[in-house]
Amino acid sequence: MNQRDTSALLARAAELATRYVSAVPERRVSPSEAALAALQNFHEPFPESSCDPQEVLEMLDGIGSPATVTTTGGRYFGFVIGATLPAAMAANWLAAVWGQNAALRVMSPVAAELEEIVIRWTCEALGLPPSCAGGLVTDATLANFTALAAARYALLTREGWNVIEDGLFHAPPIEVVAGAEVHASALKALNMLGMGRSRIRSVEVDGQGRMRADKLPKISRNTIVCIQAGNVNTGAFDPAAPICEAAHERGAWVHVDGAFGLWAAASPKYRHLMNGFEQADSWATDAHKWPNASYDCGLAIVRNGEALRASMGLSAAYLVPGTKREPMQHTPEASRRARGVELWAALKSLGRSGLARLVERTCAHAQQFAAGLRAAGFDVLNEVVINQVLVTFGDARRTQEVMRQVQDEGTCWCSGTVWQGKTAMRISVSSWATTADDVDRSLAAIVRIARAT
Ligand SMILES: *Cc1c(COP(=O)(O)O)cnc(C)c1O
């Protein structure tokens, strides 16, 4: 391919992408049966011969685009999936063209610099100490892993054990304390770090999934206490202040899984929910959820930067670290894409006020959902504190049937959960693109389907 062909290819990609974006507002959320069936056309033996890149692109658009889920639109409420802000979307294109490897500063000065900036801005937005160190990883699961690795290192170092040199065999035991509602991803992260399920002392939670501070066990100094900012079902926040106080009195480490909830701190209206969380030792969050910075973008933030760098550090003769922050000394990966670019674009385009409005608008939409569902006679199971709504339509079977039909019908998309023994549909309003009209249309579809089921 020559330069002209490459330019034509990129222009065509822009054209197809633009067409996709303009169809998003009216597009069904789940792909149609026909679109799913057509995915079969991708299945072919690994081609013997080369294919014109134009043809590759046309095939991808022809078969791929119709089989996407419209997560970038305003009516996707499944899991906790943020959409993509226009600035992040466009920045992603440019970053793709740059093709930077963000491992080392010398490989991409721009990626290294933007990472430093977004970590600082994120700490500022979340009310965390500006001196924290951070790493940009794929997601909250890896952010939990990265931060908890720093916790493990710091605690064992204090016990005179070098986990980097000597591993975990025969190491002094680390205790783990977590709420009964701890997210599975934190458990997986602990597990990958050699701290299995049976090590975790589970703390009773209240009706909203908040850890009960009065039920904390006796904490020893060699303990990691895992708390949550934003329960994945209810959106509830653990009482961080008394937990941090009790843990720190004993010298324990407090880690916060705040995949989406931490961003509540960006809004003056919701900041109070984050009281006490700034006292923790490490935090994991996602920029692809509430800030809508697009996939994949998680952040591990650690108060003790030395512990983070010691546990993620890597050296080899051919790697020449400079005196400035080196991205790969803060993450499990070495080579990776420059994911800080989209986050920078998202935060730069929003600014403090835009981020606050995004948080407040999505929370207001969640209230609109809850009010509409209650008015229609359905049971909202949670206190809608932020952007999450849990609703049932009767028994488990009926709720599941309503949910399946809502997903198939295509106006909106919500996923399910079991909340304290009750099967529920969960509505998570995490998209910048959702409007009050999107909520009305979705409510109408849900209520119509539920009444007919
Ligand atoms: C979404 C979520 C996770 C996992 O996030 P990924 O980005 O999918 O790894 C972990 N914890 C909480 C509280 C979450 O909401």
Side-chain angles (χ1 to χ4, degrees), residues 399-420:
T399 298
Q400 265 157 0
E401 181 54 25
V402 171
M403 203 160 55
R404 193 188 60 74
Q405 288 193 34
V406 166
Q407 292 173 353
D408 285 352
E409 193 262 353
T411 301
C412 64
W413 204 95
C414 308
S415 49
T417 190
V418 176
W419 177 246
Q420 298 189 339

Side-chain angles (χ1 to χ4, degrees), residues 166-364:
D166 301 318
L168 269 190
F169 295 110
H170 309 298
I174 294 176
E175 308 243 6
V176 181
V177 171
E181 270 290 328
V182 61
H183 193 279
S185 98
L187 297 180
K188 177 174 169 178
L190 286 163
N191 197 246
M192 289 192 286
L193 290 162
M195 291 174 272
R197 303 283 154 91
S198 62
R199 174 156 306 278
I200 299 165
R201 279 184 299 163
S202 186
V203 183
E204 216 175 285
V205 295
D206 67 11
Q208 298 301 311
R210 285 177 294 241
M211 202 159 146
R212 285 187 51 180
D214 61 323
K215 295 283 182 183
L216 273 179
K218 202 167 169 304
I219 296 170
S220 71
R221 78 185 209 132
N222 224 21
T223 300
I224 301 172
V225 181
C226 293
I227 61 174
Q228 263 191 150
N231 177 286
V232 76
N233 286 311
T234 63
F237 290 69
D238 285 342
I243 297 173
C244 285
E245 199 186 331
H248 286 156
E249 226 165 65
R250 312 293 309 186
W253 179 292
V254 181
H255 170 70
V256 181
D257 177 2
F260 63 104
L262 277 181
W263 298 90
S267 150
K269 188 169 170 199
Y270 293 97
R271 191 168 295 148
H272 66 278
L273 295 168
M274 281 285 294
N275 280 348
F277 282 95
E278 75 288 347
Q279 292 167 33
D281 301 283
S282 59
W283 304 263
T285 194
D286 270 328
H288 53 228
K289 287 182 173 171
W290 233 351
N292 283 244
S294 99
Y295 285 87
D296 54 13
C297 195
L299 287 115
I301 301 170
V302 180
R303 185 186 294 275
N304 176 350
E306 263 328 296
L308 176 63
R309 283 183 287 275
S311 26
M312 293 297 138
L314 185 154
S315 61
Y318 69 95
L319 300 172
V320 272
T323 50
K324 289 180 147 179
R325 177 185 182 277
E326 289 296 347
M328 70 178 274
Q329 308 294 357
H330 300 78
T331 57
E333 317 101 304
S335 290
R336 61 180 166 83
R337 63 181 209 91
R339 55 175 65 98
V341 175
E342 293 95 334
L343 178 52
W344 173 82
L347 294 178
K348 171 77 178 162
S349 79
L350 288 170
R352 269 175 182 283
S353 59
L355 188 58
R357 278 198 304 273
L358 171 57
V359 166
E360 288 163 18
R361 192 170 64 241
T362 44
C363 290

Side-chain angles (χ1 to χ4, degrees), residues 379 381 390-401 403 415-426:
D379 223 4
L381 296 181
L390 298 175
V391 60
T392 60
F393 302 101
D395 63 13
R397 211 188 45 77
R398 180 143 179 256
T399 298
Q400 265 157 0
E401 181 54 25
M403 203 160 55
S415 49
T417 190
V418 176
W419 177 246
Q420 298 189 339
K422 276 196 180 154
T423 297
M425 185 173 91
R426 182 179 57 169

Side-chain angles (χ1 to χ4, degrees), residues 88 91-92 94-95 98 110-111 114 118 136 338-346:
N92 174 278
L94 200 54
W98 292 348
V110 59
L114 288 179
V118 294
L136 262 74
R339 55 175 65 98
V341 175
E342 293 95 334
L343 178 52
W344 173 82

Side-chain angles (χ1 to χ4, degrees), residues 140-171:
T141 305
L142 252 287
N144 278 323
F145 173 85
T146 305
L148 289 165
R152 185 182 72 164
Y153 174 88
L155 291 182
L156 290 178
T157 300
R158 194 176 56 189
E159 297 301 304
W161 185 270
N162 184 335
V163 69
I164 305 299
E165 285 302 317
D166 301 318
L168 269 190
F169 295 110
H170 309 298

